[in-house]
């Protein structure tokens, strides 16, 4: 058996808090509709002087510092994102320069939408097995406010900005993530056209089919990870599900028959931050003392692609 453990996390959220009441001044909506349908009360947007790059740098520095890992010890750096500042250079390449990672560090961005962080964790686990240095820096980072259509009340109330970072270590003898990744190609129910498309680069979403997809995918993926690991639901200390909608999480909790107290989230003040959602929540749970050394978190992401990804992450 070989795999990775989580050494430490970091996070960075922009300074501007946007409440449901603030959005009600822009589109025909209200706090009651948004909070009862989604669980969201506020989210953060990048303000002037804040960017994907600046948030990534702050979160990565914090994760490295808390882990006691030096930049030159990092072997792999992956940023999961669909909203980087540049198509090229990758956000991970900018981190290489700003953090002073060695030039032979494998640095790239990965787009698996809201499943991106878990996709990146698994990718880091595989790459670190072959890398000369066994520490990985993995980020989930989004500035979704840049691709939000503020004339569409069905989507603009959902998304927020933020970055979560994790430092992991690969060792022979460490447990595998037992990752389960998948995708069902679909560009109809959830998509954001690229900059060269003739359609506007905003997020488009048909909420109900995405909802139906999510409530099926999350419990299925969680069970598949546990079956791969030969463990049961009772062996999990924390369920860290992508924060897309509180109702989706409630459905998953019910379908799996797990204790809701092991599945608390942060969507109320983050909104849906896509790839950043899982690492932001991990960071919040760890800094709040709710997830501790030696414990296991079952992380599940799902979203655009359509993709899903689950992994069992143990804290060193
Ligand atoms: N404020 C007020 N009313 C709104 C609204 C808003 N922000 N957005 C939509 N509505 C209205 C609709 O226009 C519709 O009105 P109508 O009945 O007069 O036509 C009504 O509310 C119901 O809309 P509907 O889209 O059926 O709502 P819903 O219960 O499906 O909830 C979502 C919408 C987006 C919250 C829900 O579908 C969802 O969460 N889907 C999954 C989204 C997700 O997780 N995406 C990310 C995956 S990573």
């Amino acid at each position: 058996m070989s795999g990775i453990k989580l050494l430490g996390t970091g996070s960075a959220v922009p300074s501007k808090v946007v409440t449901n009441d603030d959005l009600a001044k822009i589109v025909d909506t209200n706090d009651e509709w948004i909070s009862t349908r989604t669980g969201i009360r506020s989210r953060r947007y990048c303000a002037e002087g804040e960017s994907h790059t600046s948030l990534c740098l702050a979160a990565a520095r914090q994760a490295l510092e808390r882990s006691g890992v030096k930049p030159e010890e990092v072997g792999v750096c992956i940023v999961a994102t669909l909203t980087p500042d540049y198509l090229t250079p990758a956000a991970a390449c900018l981190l290489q320069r700003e953090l002073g990672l060695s030039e032979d560090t494998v640095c790239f961005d990965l787009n698996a939408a809201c499943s991106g962080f878990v996709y990146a964790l698994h990718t880091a686990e595989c790459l670190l097995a072959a890398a000369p240095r066994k520490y990985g820096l993995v980020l989930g980072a989004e500035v979704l406010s840049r691709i939000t259509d503020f004339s569409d009340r069905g989507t603009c109330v959902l998304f927020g900005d933020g970055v979560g970072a994790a430092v992991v270590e690969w060792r022979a003898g460490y447990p595998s993530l037992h990752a389960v990744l998948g995708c069902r190609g679909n560009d109809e129910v959830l998509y954001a056209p690229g900059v060269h498309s003739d359609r506007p680069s905003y997020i488009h979403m048909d909420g109900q089919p995405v909802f139906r997809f999510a409530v099926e995918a999350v419990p299925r993926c969680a069970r598949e990870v546990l079956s791969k690991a030969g463990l049961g639901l009772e062996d999990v200390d924390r369920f860290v599900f992508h924060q897309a909608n509180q109702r989706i999480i409630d459905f998953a909790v019910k379908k799996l028959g797990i204790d809701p107290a092991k599945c608390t989230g942060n969507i109320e003040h983050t909104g849906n931050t896509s790839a950043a959602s899982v690492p932001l929540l991990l960071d919040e749970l760890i800094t709040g003392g709710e997830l501790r050394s030696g414990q296991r978190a079952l992380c599940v992401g799902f979203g655009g692609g359509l993709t899903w990804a689950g992994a069992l992450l143990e804290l060193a």
Side-chain angles (χ1 to χ4, degrees):
M1 182 70 78
S2 60
I4 55 174
K5 282 193 185 183
L6 177 64
L7 297 186
T9 54
S11 67
V13 291
S15 53
K16 187 173 169 190
V17 177
V18 178
T19 65
N20 293 344
D21 287 338
D22 292 331
L23 288 174
K25 292 175 195 149
I26 307 172
V27 282
D28 182 13
T29 189
N30 55 74
D31 176 52
E32 207 259 332
W33 192 97
I34 303 170
S35 54
T36 54
R37 299 272 177 143
T38 69
I40 301 166
R41 291 192 179 275
S42 66
R43 69 291 286 146
R44 303 273 185 140
Y45 290 167
C46 275
E48 224 176 296
E50 293 171 325
S51 66
H52 190 279
T53 306
S54 68
L55 294 179
C56 280
L57 196 53
R61 282 199 172 120
Q62 191 174 54
L64 286 169
E65 206 178 291
R66 287 180 179 164
S67 311
V69 170
K70 295 189 191 77
E72 59 271 24
E73 294 177 309
V74 171
V76 171
C77 172
I78 308 174
V79 180
T81 185
L82 57 93
T83 51
D85 282 339
Y86 302 96
L87 290 180
T88 190
C93 295
L94 299 180
L95 284 179
Q96 183 278 327
R97 181 183 68 191
E98 298 302 320
L99 294 170
L101 307 180
S102 302
E103 284 194 359
D104 64 347
T105 306
V106 178
C107 292
F108 63 97
D109 292 357
L110 178 159
N111 178 352
C114 310
S115 309
F117 179 75
V118 181
Y119 260 75
L121 273 183
H122 176 60
T123 307
E125 181 178 60
C126 297
L127 289 172
L128 285 170
R133 296 180 303 280
K134 299 301 184 188
Y135 296 106
L137 178 59
V138 181
L139 284 80
E142 301 292 5
V143 182
L144 294 171
S145 60
R146 285 206 195 120
I147 57 164
T148 297
D149 179 357
F150 286 100
S151 66
D152 176 9
R153 68 176 181 171
T155 57
C156 76
V157 301
L158 303 173
F159 303 109
D161 301 343
V163 176
V167 174
V168 296
E169 182 185 6
W170 185 97
R171 276 195 206 176
Y174 270 2
S176 156
L177 290 172
H178 298 289
V180 170
L181 313 181
C183 130
R184 188 180 300 152
N186 183 314
D187 61 355
E188 283 165 19
V189 297
L190 179 52
Y191 60 93
V195 286
H196 301 300
S197 167
D198 51 10
R199 294 181 295 177
S201 304
Y202 295 131
I203 302 171
H204 299 258
M205 190 180 66
D206 190 355
Q208 291 194 3
V210 176
F211 194 96
R212 285 195 295 275
F213 158 72
V215 295
E216 181 274 325
V218 177
R220 172 174 50 79
C221 189
R223 285 193 189 285
E224 282 177 17
V225 172
L226 289 172
S227 144
K228 228 173 143 178
L231 295 171
L233 288 162
E234 66 285 359
D235 299 310
V236 177
D237 298 292
R238 269 280 164 179
F239 296 87
V240 181
F241 295 153
H242 169 45
Q243 304 287 294
N245 183 323
Q246 187 58 44
R247 286 193 298 142
I248 293 173
I249 297 164
D250 293 344
F251 261 91
V253 166
K254 213 166 153 194
K255 219 161 157 182
L256 289 165
I258 53 181
D259 179 1
K262 282 188 172 184
C263 202
T264 50
N266 59 1
I267 191 167
E268 189 176 297
H269 58 264
T270 60
N272 179 347
T273 56
S274 192
S277 149
V278 167
L280 278 175
L281 180 53
L282 277 173
D283 184 62
E284 221 174 286
L285 291 170
I286 291 169
T287 53
E290 292 181 77
L291 188 56
R292 294 178 294 277
S293 173
Q295 292 193 318
R296 284 193 195 105
L298 177 48
C299 305
V300 180
F302 58 91
L306 296 167
T307 55
W308 58 87
L312 202 53
L313 184 61
E314 196 172 311
L315 273 71

